[in-house]
Amino acid sequence: MISSSFPIVAYLYWMSLLVVTTGSLVFAILAFRRQKPQFAAVSGGALAAALMIAALPSPGGATVSGVLLGMVALGLAVVGGGPAALLALRLATNNSVPQGQHGGILVDNGGAPVTPEPGRASGVDAGAPDAPDAPDAPDAPDATGVPDGEGTAGTHGTFVHEVLRGGLMIGILERLAVAGAILAGFPEAIAVVVAIKGVGRFTELATAEARERFIIGTLASLIWACACAALVQIALT
């Protein structure tokens, strides 16, 4: 009687684990498609629930179920890490940093003033008398052909450019490599992934906003990928 209950327990264990993990993946896809942080929070909660289920003593029978769980967890690591990182960034920065058109953020050039055009004064000279009879000159376009205050010129006279571009694709590849390395039994590869990303982004981390986004986004993405891979490892052991 006792031995006959083991297949039922194993079935309930793996079915519950697969259902909860798949639910987390579904909400992660919704968060990825619709860009809503609520879905990302639900996906994270479902992942936490799956980790608690996996922490229970495994009843065995992981031949096919373990493979299915590994595939779902790998997809969850790749898809769900992006919304999770965005949610972490939103909580940390409260959307105070303007977004760029290529997945990055807009920052100035470090406070260097914009070079005024020849013949135009950048302000009133303190040592020169005012010229009340001279008519006001219309705003002339800057070097980019856009009037002052628009385009790539910041509000304080600094050029604005986009940094940390291509974060979506880099994050997908990063999480795929990290989760794949853990599932393959080679977690040392995580150091290689982080080193490659750090070297590639080094020249873009001159501003505080870029450094903050890089650190928070990278840690959130890595933690998510490691949690998804650890889910499979815990369930199998």
Side-chain angles (χ1 to χ4, degrees):
M1 184 67 179
I2 297 178
S3 61
S4 63
S5 64
F6 283 147
I8 299 177
V9 173
Y11 175 80
L12 293 176
Y13 175 84
W14 289 106
M15 183 58 63
S16 301
L17 195 54
L18 285 171
V19 168
V20 175
T21 307
T22 303
S24 179
L25 177 59
V26 170
F27 279 100
I29 294 174
L30 290 175
F32 183 82
R33 294 288 297 267
R34 301 186 180 181
Q35 300 296 319
K36 290 186 177 181
Q38 297 86 351
F39 291 141
V42 174
S43 178
L47 176 59
L51 286 170
M52 288 189 292
I53 296 174
L56 298 174
S58 177
T63 304
V64 178
S65 301
V67 174
L68 292 176
L69 180 63
M71 295 173 62
V72 175
L74 185 61
L76 179 60
V78 174
V79 178
L86 290 178
L87 178 60
L89 288 170
R90 176 172 295 187
L91 294 176
T93 63
N94 197 22
N95 289 334
S96 60
V97 181
Q99 303 295 315
Q101 297 180 354
H102 305 282
I105 58 174
L106 298 178
V107 297
D108 58 35
N109 63 343
V114 176
T115 304
E117 291 185 356
R120 289 192 61 195
S122 59
V124 178
D125 190 355
D130 294 336
D133 296 333
D136 293 336
D139 289 340
D142 58 10
T144 61
V146 182
D148 290 339
E150 299 178 11
T152 58
T155 57
H156 300 287
T158 56
F159 288 109
V160 175
H161 62 283
E162 184 176 356
V163 297
L164 303 179
R165 298 173 47 160
L168 175 62
M169 184 55 63
I170 292 176
I172 289 176
L173 296 175
E174 171 191 15
R175 292 186 295 273
L176 179 61
V178 169
I182 296 176
L183 292 177
F186 187 60
E188 294 82 1
I190 299 177
V192 179
V193 174
V194 175
I196 293 175
K197 185 177 181 179
V199 171
R201 292 296 201 189
F202 179 76
T203 57
E204 300 182 79
L205 303 179
T207 61
E209 297 86 354
R211 290 192 295 269
E212 180 183 32
R213 186 177 181 86
F214 177 81
I215 293 173
I216 296 175
T218 299
L219 288 179
S221 179
L222 289 176
I223 291 173
W224 183 273
C226 291
C228 293
L231 171 64
V232 182
Q233 295 289 345
I234 295 173
L236 293 177
T237 56

